[in-house]
Amino acid sequence: MGLKVLVVGGGGREHVLCWALAGSPEVGRVFCAPGNAGIAREFECVDISVGDVDRLAAWAVQQGVDFTVVGPEAPLMAGLADRFAAAGLRVFGPTRAAAMIEGSKAFAKDVMSASGVPTAKYELFDDPARARAYISSRGAPIVVKADGLAAGKGVCVCVTVSEAMTAVEDIMERRVFGDAGLRVVVEDYLEGPEASVMAIADGETAILMQPVQDHKRVFDGDQGPNTGGMGAYSPVPVVPAPLLDEIGRTVITPVLRELLKRGIRYTGVLYAGMMLTPRGPMVLEFNARFGDPETQAALPRMKTSLARVLMGAIEGRLSRERVEWSSDAAVCVVMASGGYPGKYETGKVIHGLDRATAAGALVFHAGTSSGPGGSIVTSGGRVLGVTAVGKTLAAARGVAYNAVREIRFDGAQYRSDIGLRGIG
């Protein structure tokens, strides 16, 4: 029969997780709650929202789910892993206390300070006047961050002092991110190439996934406002194997040990957003889950059974697991709704999905719904993650963009330079 696995979430990250888990020989059935139109074409979707933790737990018990993988951060902060564990369910995802590494930037900075993890100098403020005074004393460029969860948009990289003052006003006084802006972290600006390092952790041991580089700005050349991510590629030439090992030793392991000292066992993905500065790799932020769209570029390169590795983390035996990676490259290009990350329209019919697949791409759905007559329509800002694998980054890019050109919907936008920096 094989294992029954539940994936919680409904975006591109969850689609690729379903795809990778279904490809694991140990897995028999894959469920996704709530999923989306693309996921529903391949897997069994469950109409329960990610925030309805009690219903999700009750459904998993009733169905005899063998283990659950949590995609987004919000249900983790709502205590989904705690609730599932209390019901006797196995879950891959940190407890609410552990997820605070993403839920509070102040908490993450405190953990880094205590464990000696390299990061930017910072101060924490709950008073906007004090924050402004500190910014005036430090000058610019400088970074202002909402302390709490802000859907990946609570970080303001400010080139001028004036921009930083506006950021404090927006976050703390206008509350554009709600209660996430009750406090702000103001930190020094770091310079260098960025990279995303995701580690699968069982509380003591971590297996590092192959590094990925994300593209946050909406337009080519890293122009325009920040988004949830417009594309990603892997491998990352600026993170060779020795540097990845160093990040494991100086970042991932010390954080896991510091959390254990605090009575917190971290089981799940510990995602380190890194800046590769002239002084060495430094942490920009932590996430408590798989990245999106980074996972769409990482998992297609994973040759080992994902289910086996995640079960190893849940059962605390990662030290006995080995993960094999393909030498091939992967590129994910996000197709988004016109106007994203600002206002955008939904309900646009998507054409050419089958042609994109025929062109050799993996098309992971992020913001899609079922439309009239069996059609697929847009239902979010980020709509699709068009992913391709090739012997080189250039080859993977070629396949991905050929597939992107086969897909059409009104107002579709995407960057044309995903992966280029990894080639040049």
Side-chain angles (χ1 to χ4, degrees):
M1 285 290 291
L3 298 172
K4 290 182 179 179
V5 183
L6 170 64
V7 175
V8 175
R13 165 185 49 218
E14 288 73 38
H15 196 171
V16 72
L17 284 168
C18 289
W19 171 83
L21 288 163
S24 299
E26 301 87 351
V27 173
R29 295 174 74 182
V30 176
F31 303 94
C32 190
N36 59 42
I39 296 173
R41 282 187 162 187
E42 303 173 70
F43 308 102
E44 300 175 67
C45 287
V46 184
D47 189 19
I48 304 175
S49 72
V50 298
D52 201 340
V53 171
D54 289 336
R55 273 190 72 204
L56 285 168
W59 184 89
V61 169
Q62 180 186 20
Q63 293 294 321
V65 168
D66 291 291
F67 74 95
T68 297
V69 182
V70 187
E73 63 276 17
L76 293 169
M77 287 301 299
L80 185 148
D82 310 74
R83 178 68 184 83
F84 272 49
L89 294 162
R90 294 187 289 190
V91 59
F92 180 78
T95 62
R96 187 180 188 283
M100 287 299 289
I101 201 80
E102 177 173 3
S104 169
K105 292 179 176 62
F107 175 77
K109 284 288 193 180
D110 183 63
V111 169
M112 284 188 272
S113 295
S115 56
V117 168
T119 188
K121 175 181 169 57
Y122 75 100
E123 293 290 343
L124 174 68
F125 299 97
D126 57 14
D127 178 355
R130 289 183 59 232
R132 282 190 276 263
Y134 179 76
I135 290 165
S136 294
S137 70
R138 295 296 291 178
I142 199 163
V143 181
V144 181
K145 298 179 176 181
D147 176 49
L149 292 177
K153 298 171 186 172
V155 176
C156 301
V157 179
C158 306
V159 177
T160 65
V161 168
S162 175
E163 283 181 27
M165 298 298 188
T166 301
V168 169
E169 180 184 348
D170 287 345
I171 295 170
M172 300 192 77
E173 295 173 332
R174 293 182 54 226
R175 293 287 175 82
V176 294
F177 304 118
D179 286 349
L182 287 170
R183 301 189 297 178
V184 294
V185 169
V186 182
E187 67 180 31
D188 289 355
Y189 173 77
L190 299 177
E191 203 153 9
E194 291 186 42
S196 303
V197 175
M198 294 181 282
I200 297 170
D202 68 5
E204 297 179 24
T205 301
I207 292 177
L208 270 61
M209 299 176 67
Q210 288 295 293
V212 182
Q213 192 154 80
D214 187 17
H215 298 65
K216 285 293 185 190
R217 302 278 185 171
V218 69
F219 301 127
D220 284 6
D222 293 326
Q223 301 297 307
N226 270 333
T227 70
M230 292 298 292
Y233 67 91
S234 178
V236 182
V238 293
V239 188
L243 183 57
L244 184 62
D245 291 341
E246 179 185 342
I247 292 169
R249 288 193 311 272
T250 62
V251 174
I252 303 299
T253 298
V255 166
L256 293 179
R257 286 177 179 163
E258 175 60 27
L259 290 173
L260 276 176
K261 285 183 189 175
R262 301 178 185 212
I264 300 170
R265 188 177 185 88
Y266 193 105
T267 301
V269 170
L270 181 59
Y271 169 134
M274 303 299 302
M275 183 72 83
L276 310 178
T277 77
R279 291 179 286 160
M282 302 180 78
V283 177
L284 292 170
E285 64 177 358
F286 284 113
N287 292 326
R289 33 73 190 185
F290 286 105
D292 189 349
E294 293 93 334
T295 308
Q296 288 92 300
L299 286 185
R301 299 187 60 219
M302 189 176 187
K303 296 171 74 174
T304 306
S305 160
L306 177 63
R308 194 184 83 201
V309 176
L310 300 190
M311 284 295 291
I314 293 167
E315 295 171 2
R317 51 176 174 80
L318 274 187
S319 60
R320 302 199 298 273
E321 292 290 344
R322 294 291 178 269
V323 175
E324 188 179 355
W325 297 90
S326 168
S327 60
D328 288 350
V331 173
C332 173
V333 180
V334 169
M335 299 188 72
S337 297
Y340 175 78
K343 291 183 179 179
Y344 55 84
E345 294 181 352
T346 59
K348 308 298 183 183
V349 178
I350 304 171
H351 303 277
L353 291 169
D354 291 340
R355 290 195 298 274
T357 303
L362 298 163
V363 181
F364 298 116
H365 290 233
T368 65
S369 297
S370 297
S375 64
I376 303 287
V377 301
T378 65
S379 64
R382 291 187 296 172
V383 177
L384 302 168
V386 182
T387 300
V389 176
K391 292 296 182 187
T392 63
L393 275 173
R397 282 191 83 251
V399 174
Y401 278 105
N402 282 341
V404 164
R405 286 187 282 271
E406 296 287 354
I407 299 172
R408 303 184 318 281
F409 57 88
D410 288 347
Q413 63 167 335
Y414 58 90
R415 284 181 57 158
S416 64
D417 61 350
I418 304 300
L420 275 183
R421 68 175 71 129
I423 297 170

